Amino acid sequence: MSEEISSKLGPGAEFDSIRKVVKRLGQNAQGIGDDAAVISSLGEQKLIVSTDTSVENVHFKREWLTSEEIGYRAAAAALSDVAAMGAKPLGMLVAMAIPETWHAQIDAISDGIGEAARVAGAPVIGGDMSRSSELALTITVLGTARHVLLRTGARPGDHVYVTGRLGGPGAALRYFEENREPPTMLRERFARPIPRIHEAMWLAESGAMSAIDISDGLSSDLGHIAAASGVALNIDLSSIPVIDGVSAIEGARSGEEYEIVVSSPVEIDATVFKRHFNLDLTRIGSVDTGEPGVRFFLDGSQVAVPGGYLHFA
Amino acid sequence: MSEEISSKLGPGAEFDSIRKVVKRLGQNAQGIGDDAAVISSLGEQKLIVSTDTSVENVHFKREWLTSEEIGYRAAAAALSDVAAMGAKPLGMLVAMAIPETWHAQIDAISDGIGEAARVAGAPVIGGDMSRSSELALTITVLGTARHVLLRTGARPGDHVYVTGRLGGPGAALRYFEENREPPTMLRERFARPIPRIHEAMWLAESGAMSAIDISDGLSSDLGHIAAASGVALNIDLSSIPVIDGVSAIEGARSGEEYEIVVSSPVEIDATVFKRHFNLDLTRIGSVDTGEPGVRFFLDGSQVAVPGGYLHFA
């Protein structure tokens, strides 16, 4: 498959780089080699499409991650946006803006992207290769959904749930910023986030009506649901699920988690969810009327959670 | 519309930038504000999707173009890839990686993108905003087509046609590189390329079976059709349509033209094409059997056309 694609690309240095990527992607690349990718049928489904850029020294530093992890992480972050819509990823387009000093890493970056494509069942169906002075990977993900989870879908009375346990990427970042190697478990949470694709689809089928993935931090991302839905979100700080050694406030501010927050008018059974996905699902609050925004409570008193996570640079 | 979108975005500096873009796009932005865009129906059509990156100092220099032109040109280049498939653009996603020093230009860049969106009938339906140390605009275009023009569609015996007159962007580039302002007509061809959307759709309906847009230069881009289709392309150098003052070889090497080359098993009436689009359509050669590649002829003798255009940097 990939050899067939490669032989169909014309000559030139840019295309040699593309050939490298395609060869490396193997079965994780499909139908590349035209000006654009073609998708034949959506059936009854809606098409979901999202684009996400990972920039060196903004989203990661070269010394923190392997090149394979940089590729994987960029793809996982992009896949997470489509997962947050309750959609099944269909394929992705990879635009690499790559400096000369990164050229030797094209294979390893492609391996990482290919790994994310394989795990998500979303082959690379197109892309672009440019020179640049810093590495930037812009990954566009296409997916399909029958029931779309929008940020506008939260209503007063809904329950608010979050998947997984928060705080790992934020804790890893603190180690990195102090030039220390984080413990393996924290490092993995930062370097190899898992887009919650099947989890979000299951939540959509179980009654969830709005969702967002945690990229900027729980407190910031809930703010987007509150703003889009025009509702107040009351969050019980003590119920926020965190990993060992991380406070609830740190968990609420930790970004690039790629866990999913949903609102649902019906109760969702966390035990069934855990049995399916071996992952926690935790009710952390509820949707209320009033001034749109996010309010955190501890023992019944409102507490301030300092604003959203900002990328480190 | 755009105010409604803006109010649904949460707080934060990144979202202030997004709000700026959305406000500026006005009616040229639709349905923004979720993790991903939703497209409800394709009917009987195929979905076409392509992504293209424009990087400062690779695809343009800041001193050559206005910010509005930089935005327009990035979008036009991306739209051209979808046009080359014979597709009608449906919408686009704009990923801006933007340095602090460019922030004051966000409005003007958005204006340019909005102008391309308006002309193409393809509103901005999503995007991403990142910090970076150089400006990079990655634009993903979605479109629909009934009859898709692939690079693999050329067959021995086909006629080869090109739209427009070549050489303008290449000639403009020579002025820019000598720090001289190009004459208006050349400058416009470089700064405001026109994606040949309706022209390519008409050519597909008129019998064309393969197509590519001229981004790397006619000689290079024909090489992609030859490689993908496994055919030889015989091109009559003297028939290549060029603008005044440009040689045929310069025309064949000029990149970023965004004109369309097609192969067609049936003859296409250039007079009817010209009446429709007020644009030249010129037969420049034919498809043959033999070693896949592009052969240029002048007065019956084969001549060498030095290899493809490379971006200037």
Side-chain angles (χ1 to χ4, degrees):
Chain A
M1 179 66 172
S2 69
E3 274 183 33
E4 190 193 339
I5 295 168
S6 289
S7 71
K8 285 183 178 164
L9 294 170
E14 179 190 340
F15 297 95
D16 290 341
S17 296
I18 295 174
R19 256 183 288 273
K20 272 186 86 155
V21 172
V22 169
K23 185 176 179 197
R24 203 73 186 183
L25 284 168
Q27 294 298 323
N28 294 316
Q30 283 177 25
I32 285 169
D34 256 290
D35 290 295
V38 180
I39 293 167
S40 288
S41 169
L42 293 176
E44 296 291 293
Q45 312 249 36
K46 291 192 174 67
L47 178 75
I48 307 299
V49 53
S50 175
T51 195
D52 192 75
T53 304
S54 294
V55 182
E56 184 182 356
N57 295 326
V58 175
H59 297 92
F60 61 89
K61 282 192 177 171
R62 190 169 186 168
E63 56 269 31
W64 295 351
L65 299 174
T66 67
S67 298
E68 190 272 347
E69 286 167 345
I70 288 165
Y72 172 87
R73 193 165 173 273
L79 285 159
S80 180
D81 279 326
V82 163
M85 305 287 280
K88 185 174 163 51
L90 198 65
M92 49 182 155
L93 293 93
V94 177
M96 280 194 198
I98 191 162
E100 199 57 42
T101 50
W102 277 90
H103 260 251
Q105 311 305 321
I106 288 180
D107 278 354
I109 293 169
S110 302
D111 284 349
I113 293 170
E115 170 66 7
R118 189 186 62 74
V119 170
V124 175
I125 57 172
D128 185 68
M129 179 75 68
S130 301
R131 278 168 302 134
S132 66
S133 66
E134 72 193 342
L135 184 68
L137 301 172
T138 301
I139 299 186
T140 302
V141 180
L142 297 149
T144 53
R146 215 172 285 273
H147 305 292
V148 181
L149 295 172
L150 298 173
R151 293 181 186 177
T152 49
R155 296 287 172 273
D158 286 1
H159 308 278
V160 179
Y161 297 91
V162 66
T163 63
R165 301 200 150 266
L166 307 180
L173 205 50
R174 283 191 290 276
Y175 278 88
F176 283 131
E177 287 179 330
E178 293 164 5
N179 293 314
R180 293 189 299 150
E181 182 70 9
T184 305
M185 200 267 282
L186 297 184
R187 193 182 180 290
E188 284 288 291
R189 284 287 301 145
F190 183 84
R192 303 194 58 86
I194 300 165
R196 301 299 188 191
I197 298 164
H198 295 286
E199 292 84 347
M201 289 170 69
W202 187 92
L203 290 167
E205 283 160 24
S206 303
M209 294 296 283
S210 83
I212 194 165
D213 67 320
I214 302 177
S215 53
D216 295 336
L218 176 70
S219 60
S220 296
D221 291 312
L222 283 174
H224 298 305
I225 288 191
S229 296
V231 295
L233 300 177
N234 295 333
I235 305 299
D236 174 11
L237 202 55
S238 67
S239 70
I240 293 175
V242 286
I243 61 164
D244 283 350
V246 165
S247 74
I249 286 184
E250 286 166 337
R253 298 183 66 196
S254 172
E256 297 174 339
E257 292 276 347
Y258 305 113
E259 297 294 347
I260 301 282
V261 194
V262 299
S263 73
S264 171
V266 297
E267 276 191 63
I268 298 177
D269 191 331
T271 315
V272 178
F273 181 90
K274 175 115 190 181
R275 201 184 308 138
H276 271 294
F277 300 110
N278 192 28
L279 186 74
D280 288 323
L281 181 74
T282 310
R283 186 181 181 284
I284 57 170
S286 60
V287 182
D288 203 349
T289 54
E291 182 71 24
V294 188
R295 297 185 293 230
F296 289 90
F297 292 90
L298 192 60
D299 301 329
S301 303
Q302 196 171 340
V303 290
V305 170
Y309 164 90
L310 295 171
H311 299 294
F312 64 85
Chain B
M1 179 66 171
S2 68
E3 275 185 32
E4 190 193 337
I5 295 168
S6 289
S7 71
K8 284 182 178 165
L9 295 169
E14 178 190 342
F15 298 94
D16 290 341
S17 295
I18 295 174
R19 256 183 288 272
K20 271 186 89 154
V21 172
V22 170
K23 185 177 178 197
R24 203 73 186 184
L25 285 168
Q27 292 298 323
N28 295 316
Q30 282 177 26
I32 287 170
D34 255 290
D35 290 295
V38 180
I39 293 168
S40 288
S41 170
L42 293 177
E44 296 291 294
Q45 313 249 37
K46 290 190 175 68
L47 178 75
I48 307 297
V49 54
S50 176
T51 194
D52 193 75
T53 305
S54 295
V55 182
E56 184 182 358
N57 294 327
V58 176
H59 297 92
F60 61 89
K61 282 191 178 172
R62 190 168 187 168
E63 55 269 33
W64 295 352
L65 299 174
T66 67
S67 298
E68 190 273 346
E69 286 167 344
I70 288 166
Y72 172 88
R73 192 165 175 273
L79 286 159
S80 179
D81 279 327
V82 163
M85 305 288 281
K88 185 174 164 52
L90 198 67
M92 50 183 155
L93 293 94
V94 176
M96 280 193 197
I98 192 162
E100 200 57 41
T101 52
W102 277 91
H103 260 250
Q105 311 306 321
I106 287 181
D107 278 355
I109 293 169
S110 303
D111 283 349
I113 294 170
E115 172 66 7
R118 190 187 61 74
V119 170
V124 176
I125 58 172
D128 184 68
M129 181 74 69
S130 300
R131 278 169 300 135
S132 66
S133 65
E134 72 193 340
L135 184 68
L137 301 172
T138 300
I139 299 187
T140 302
V141 181
L142 296 149
T144 53
R146 215 172 286 272
H147 305 293
V148 181
L149 295 172
L150 299 173
R151 293 181 187 177
T152 49
R155 296 286 173 272
D158 285 1
H159 309 279
V160 179
Y161 297 92
V162 66
T163 63
R165 303 200 149 264
L166 307 181
L173 205 48
R174 284 189 290 276
Y175 278 88
F176 282 131
E177 286 178 331
E178 292 164 6
N179 293 313
R180 294 189 299 149
E181 182 71 8
T184 306
M185 200 267 282
L186 298 184
R187 192 183 181 289
E188 283 288 290
R189 285 286 300 145
F190 183 85
R192 301 194 58 85
I194 301 165
R196 300 300 187 190
I197 297 164
H198 296 287
E199 293 84 348
M201 289 169 71
W202 187 92
L203 290 167
E205 282 161 23
S206 301
M209 295 295 284
S210 83
I212 193 165
D213 67 322
I214 303 179
S215 53
D216 295 337
L218 177 69
S219 61
S220 297
D221 290 314
L222 283 174
H224 298 306
I225 288 192
S229 295
V231 296
L233 300 177
N234 294 335
I235 305 299
D236 175 12
L237 203 54
S238 67
S239 69
I240 293 175
V242 287
I243 61 164
D244 283 350
V246 165
S247 74
I249 286 183
E250 287 167 336
R253 297 183 66 195
S254 172
E256 296 175 341
E257 293 276 346
Y258 305 115
E259 297 294 348
I260 301 282
V261 196
V262 298
S263 72
S264 170
V266 297
E267 275 190 63
I268 297 177
D269 191 331
T271 315
V272 177
F273 182 89
K274 175 114 190 180
R275 200 183 311 137
H276 271 294
F277 300 110
N278 192 29
L279 187 72
D280 289 323
L281 181 75
T282 310
R283 184 182 182 286
I284 57 170
S286 59
V287 182
D288 204 349
T289 54
E291 182 72 23
V294 189
R295 297 184 295 228
F296 288 90
F297 292 89
L298 192 59
D299 300 329
S301 303
Q302 195 170 341
V303 291
V305 169
Y309 164 90
L310 294 172
H311 298 293
F312 64 84

